[in-house]
């Protein structure tokens, strides 16, 4: 018999927690912004009890009592977290349930190859973007991670007697590096035996940020490249990153210009039209792995009725599909420092001609995760197919 008896009658057994099409990009939580330093202070508040249980503070400020043993984990609507957790633990054996969108990335990217056991995780507790609490409870999780913005789900999980940990995706104002560091700090609270990885990841990320700043700080305004992020593109959608989404951080961090910065719409609501694209005339376009669109689709105008031929990035063949490593790299994740370096090298090749991305990625994985990647595995990360958007992106 399991140590913790689930209080099934305390919750509504069939709770359809309707999740948005972009759960990892949920609206900003109504919570105070927390700096890295504050996050580290919160980490120190984790405490132990005499019976082996421990208490932590999650990203929503909740005090969560952890069971003595954590062997079965479900991650609901924080899509990159299964990959971060797998690399942190160097195993996906504890992951018994993840979102179908997380699963599709694991199948298309590197994660399923590094940790094939993740492909056995259950995804059936989601149906048509709706989470069924009864199906989740049937997995008998010791610990459930959920998006801190989804308070209703958190309350339902707690009412069902589950140890539910809120993970924020927006508390750090769409700063991908700070968000990734905060996730690692939280995992260090819960699994302190691997805390050295959290520190190693943070140190490596800081080193990359400093190197990029050193090489780009002297750029004059007229030398900064105009960048357009194509988050979603189909016959009916043309979505970029405004100032309140991850694309703004990526551009700020490499001293480039996000042409969509003027758009106030948060997360994936920054819909635009081709007239705006023409007026911005970006020099470089990055296509996320949340859409099936590929560079060739812009070069050949194969999606919808839009004509990209006059856009500078298209004319000069400066359109790039973003990497798919452990997860889709537009978001924070285990590959965030390498995404940052790749973006910098792609936008400013002359400033980063001494950077060998294959060598850089292999060093990063070895130093932080103690994983030795092959050249072929790194090449796979940087040449994703349209299948990277399976389960998420719109069809062409």
């Amino acid at each position: 018999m399991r140590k913790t008896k689930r209080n099934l009658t305390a919750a509504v057994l069939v709770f359809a927690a309707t999740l948005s099409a972009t759960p990892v990009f949920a609206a900003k939580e109504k919570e105070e912004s927390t700096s890295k330093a504050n996050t580290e202070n919160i980490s120190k508040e984790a405490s132990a009890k005499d019976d082996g249980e421990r208490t932590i503070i999650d990203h929503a400020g909740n005090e969560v009592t952890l069971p003595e043993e954590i062997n079965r984990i479900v991650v609901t609507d924080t899509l990159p977290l299964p990959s971060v957790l797998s690399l942190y633990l160097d195993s996906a054996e504890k992951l018994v349930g993840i979102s179908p969108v997380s699963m599709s990335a694991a199948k298309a990217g590197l994660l399923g190859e590094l940790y094939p056991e993740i492909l056995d995780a259950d995804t059936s507790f989601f149906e048509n973007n709706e989470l069924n609490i009864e199906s989740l409870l049937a997995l008998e999780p010791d610990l459930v991670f959920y998006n801190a913005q989804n308070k209703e789900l958190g309350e339902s999980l707690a009412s069902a007697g589950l140890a539910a940990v809120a993970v924020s995706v927006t508390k750090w104002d769409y700063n991908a590096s700070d968000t990734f560091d905060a996730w690692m700090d939280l995992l260090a609270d819960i699994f302190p035996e691997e805390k050295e990885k959290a520190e190693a990841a943070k140190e490596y990320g800081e080193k990359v940020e400093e190197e990029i700043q050193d090489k780009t700080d002297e750029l004059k305004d007229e030398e900064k490249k105009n960048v357009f992020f194509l988050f979603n593109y189909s016959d009916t959608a043309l979505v970029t990153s405004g100032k309140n989404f991850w694309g703004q951080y990526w551009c700020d961090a490499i001293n480039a210009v996000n042409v969509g910065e003027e758009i106030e719409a948060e997360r994936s609501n920054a819909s635009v039209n081709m007239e705006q694209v023409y007026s911005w005339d970006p020099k470089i376009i990055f296509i996320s792995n949340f859409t099936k669109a590929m560079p060739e689709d812009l070069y050949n105008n194969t999606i919808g009725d839009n004509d990209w031929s006059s856009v500078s990035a298209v004319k000069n063949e400066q359109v790039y599909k973003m990497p798919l490593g452990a997860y889709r790299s537009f978001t924070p994740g285990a590959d965030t420092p390498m995404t940052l370096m790749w973006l910098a090298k792609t936008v400013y090749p002359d400033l980063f001609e001494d950077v060998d991305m294959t060598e850089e990625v292999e060093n990063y994985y070895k130093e932080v995760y103690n994983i030795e990647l092959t050249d072929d595995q790194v090449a796979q990360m940087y040449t994703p197919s349209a299948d990277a958007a399976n389960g998420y992106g719109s069809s062409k």
Side-chain angles (χ1 to χ4, degrees):
M1 180 179 295
R2 298 184 64 78
K3 180 178 179 180
T4 304
K5 183 178 181 180
R6 306 303 183 202
N7 183 11
L8 301 183
T9 60
V12 178
L13 290 183
V14 182
F15 171 80
T18 304
L19 302 174
S20 70
T22 57
V24 73
F25 311 129
K28 186 172 182 179
E29 295 95 324
K30 295 179 180 178
E31 52 191 345
E32 293 183 3
S33 178
T34 303
S35 65
K36 284 186 182 181
N38 288 339
T39 302
E40 291 165 359
N41 289 337
I42 289 174
S43 298
K44 295 175 183 178
E45 294 179 15
S47 59
K49 294 187 176 182
D50 292 340
D51 59 2
E53 293 181 339
R54 292 179 297 113
T55 299
I56 65 159
I57 306 299
D58 69 13
H59 288 168
N62 302 314
E63 186 175 290
V64 182
T65 299
L66 304 174
E68 182 177 358
E69 293 186 7
I70 300 175
N71 295 312
R72 299 177 64 81
I73 300 171
V74 171
V75 180
T76 61
D77 50 350
T78 308
L79 303 181
L81 194 62
S83 58
V84 177
L85 189 58
S86 298
L87 284 162
Y88 181 86
L89 296 176
D90 194 24
S91 171
E93 292 180 359
K94 294 179 184 290
L95 280 165
V96 297
I98 63 176
S99 162
V101 182
S102 299
M103 179 63 79
S104 66
K107 289 179 177 179
L110 186 63
L111 192 65
E113 183 177 337
L114 294 178
Y115 304 107
E117 64 271 19
I118 199 170
L119 304 179
D120 296 326
D122 186 273
T123 61
S124 65
F125 61 99
F126 275 94
E127 288 187 22
N128 299 320
N129 272 346
E130 292 187 351
L131 185 153
N132 186 290
I133 286 286
E134 185 177 23
S135 298
L136 189 155
L137 288 171
L139 296 175
E140 295 191 286
D142 300 313
L143 185 65
V144 179
F145 290 99
Y146 70 98
N147 191 309
Q149 188 272 340
N150 199 339
K151 294 181 180 179
E152 188 178 5
L153 175 58
E155 291 169 357
S156 296
L157 294 170
S159 296
L162 297 172
V165 175
V167 182
S168 178
V169 298
T170 61
K171 181 182 271 188
W172 294 273
D173 297 323
Y174 295 108
N175 182 310
S177 292
D178 285 358
T179 303
F180 172 52
D181 287 348
W183 291 354
M184 292 292 272
D185 284 340
L186 184 62
L187 293 182
D189 282 353
I190 299 170
F191 304 102
E193 62 275 13
E194 299 290 343
K195 64 182 180 181
E196 292 83 4
K197 286 184 183 176
E199 289 304 315
K202 185 179 301 184
E203 290 175 6
Y204 207 108
E206 290 174 351
K207 181 180 70 173
V208 168
E209 287 182 302
E210 289 173 2
E211 180 178 351
I212 291 172
Q213 286 304 308
D214 287 345
K215 292 184 176 182
T216 62
D217 263 350
E218 300 302 318
L219 287 171
K220 299 176 182 178
D221 287 346
E222 62 270 21
E223 295 175 320
K224 295 180 180 180
K225 296 288 185 66
N226 289 342
V227 174
F228 177 76
F229 282 92
L230 190 54
F231 175 74
N232 189 14
Y233 185 42
S234 69
D235 291 343
T236 58
L238 178 54
V239 180
T240 189
S241 170
K243 67 187 297 183
N244 297 306
F245 209 17
W246 307 113
Q248 188 64 48
Y249 164 75
W250 296 126
C251 283
D252 289 345
I254 64 172
N255 279 308
V257 177
N258 174 24
V259 296
E261 183 174 3
E262 66 191 60
I263 300 176
E264 297 286 344
E266 194 170 5
R267 60 196 194 280
S268 58
N269 292 317
S271 295
V272 296
N273 56 53
M274 284 305 297
E275 293 306 316
Q276 288 172 288
V277 176
Y278 295 149
S279 67
W280 291 329
D281 193 28
K283 300 301 184 286
I284 295 177
I285 296 175
F286 290 112
I287 305 175
S288 85
N289 286 302
F290 291 93
T291 177
K292 288 181 176 293
M294 299 292 287
E296 293 76 16
D297 293 314
L298 273 60
Y299 296 150
N300 301 316
N301 292 319
T302 55
I303 298 178
D305 298 324
N306 295 324
D307 182 4
W308 293 83
S309 61
S310 65
V311 178
S312 291
V314 174
K315 288 193 295 186
N316 298 318
E317 296 191 350
Q318 296 289 295
V319 182
Y320 304 92
K321 190 75 169 178
M322 292 194 72
L324 176 68
Y327 188 70
R328 301 174 179 95
S329 61
F330 181 73
T331 72
D335 297 311
T336 288
M338 294 299 94
T339 301
L340 194 57
M341 182 60 81
W342 175 80
L343 287 167
K345 182 175 175 64
T346 303
V347 174
Y348 300 115
D350 292 342
L351 297 180
F352 294 87
E353 61 183 354
D354 60 324
V355 175
D356 182 321
M357 281 307 303
T358 299
E359 181 179 334
E360 189 78 28
V361 173
E362 289 175 0
N363 287 343
Y364 171 70
Y365 266 75
K366 179 62 178 175
E367 287 189 25
V368 176
Y369 305 116
N370 198 29
I371 292 174
E372 294 188 0
L373 296 180
T374 66
D375 290 358
D376 287 344
Q377 287 174 319
V378 176
Q380 173 190 331
M381 293 170 64
Y382 291 91
T383 54
S385 69
D387 291 341
N390 284 348
Y392 190 102
S394 300
S395 299
K396 294 181 183 179

